[in-house]
Amino acid sequence: AARRYVLCEVLSDDPRCRQCIEDRAVGLAVRDAIARVHGDFGLACCSISFTVKYLNAYTGTVLLRCRKDSYRLLCSALPFVRHLESRGQRYPCALNTLHVGGTIRTCQKFLIQYNRRQLLMLLQNCTNEEERQCIQKSLLSCSLTEEQSQSGDEEDDDGTE
């Protein structure tokens, strides 16, 4: 089955939100939004092979996987995610879609470019040399580390991006 990978970032003003950026909380918030926007049928369509493939709580980066034929349903529901829930607490947040790709690798490549651009913007706003060197170090560490995919997820690209 052809799949799509949706790369998002979690945006929140609440610093405590970071601690509940975990697979389960993100998955539930997304499913809840799909159900509110598209009802049971939409949720059923999206739930097939939907998973939180990767997340980085520190940067707020989330990679979602779904079937190719339901990625539009998924993407249209993402703006309706309003909060993440963890241990009975709700933390207001929003999901910003950065990229939709046919493979994890295209999303990785996009993310590296995106991070570089963000860091370059920070670099322009630096106030001192120490900050500047810190950010330049970060820029150098943005390179793609080639990882062999064990799960075979790279093989399901059907040629369209």
Side-chain angles (χ1 to χ4, degrees):
R3 295 189 178 134
R4 282 292 169 263
Y5 295 90
V6 182
L7 185 67
C8 313
E9 61 181 346
V10 179
L11 305 173
S12 180
D13 295 331
D14 191 336
R16 295 169 306 163
C17 184
R18 205 165 258 176
Q19 68 204 23
C20 66
I21 300 176
E22 49 193 23
D23 295 33
R24 197 173 155 276
V26 172
L28 284 171
V30 171
R31 282 192 177 91
D32 176 60
I34 295 167
R36 275 184 290 133
V37 178
H38 298 298
D40 291 343
F41 178 74
L43 182 60
C45 290
C46 289
S47 291
I48 305 164
S49 100
F50 168 77
T51 184
V52 178
K53 201 66 192 150
Y54 163 86
L55 62 79
N56 182 329
Y58 184 69
T59 59
T61 308
V62 177
L63 186 64
L64 307 171
R65 185 192 76 191
C66 65
R67 284 192 15 213
K68 183 185 176 186
D69 54 15
S70 62
Y71 86 92
R72 283 188 183 88
L73 279 176
L74 172 70
C75 288
S76 64
L78 293 178
F80 294 91
V81 172
R82 298 265 183 263
H83 57 259
L84 289 179
E85 218 167 303
S86 179
R87 296 175 202 88
Q89 289 281 66
R90 284 184 164 194
Y91 301 98
C93 71
L95 281 185
N96 178 27
T97 304
L98 300 175
H99 183 73
V100 178
T103 62
I104 291 175
R105 183 161 289 130
T106 56
C107 290
Q108 259 177 339
K109 284 179 182 163
F110 173 86
L111 188 58
I112 287 158
Q113 292 307 317
Y114 177 75
N115 287 341
R116 279 215 181 108
R117 285 197 302 274
Q118 299 293 87
L119 286 165
L120 282 168
M121 280 175 4
L122 284 175
L123 202 55
Q124 286 160 359
N125 299 328
C126 273
T127 50
N128 61 40
E129 194 49 42
E130 196 183 350
E131 266 185 21
R132 193 175 213 86
Q133 283 173 345
C134 247
I135 291 168
Q136 278 171 327
K137 234 183 226 133
S138 302
L139 268 167
L140 293 171
S141 67
C142 271
S143 61
L144 183 67
T145 50
E146 283 295 322
E147 281 183 57
Q148 286 313 110
S149 167
Q150 287 91 32
S151 57
D153 262 324
E154 292 307 330
E155 307 316 310
D156 59 4
D157 187 9
D158 54 352
T160 53
E161 283 306 318

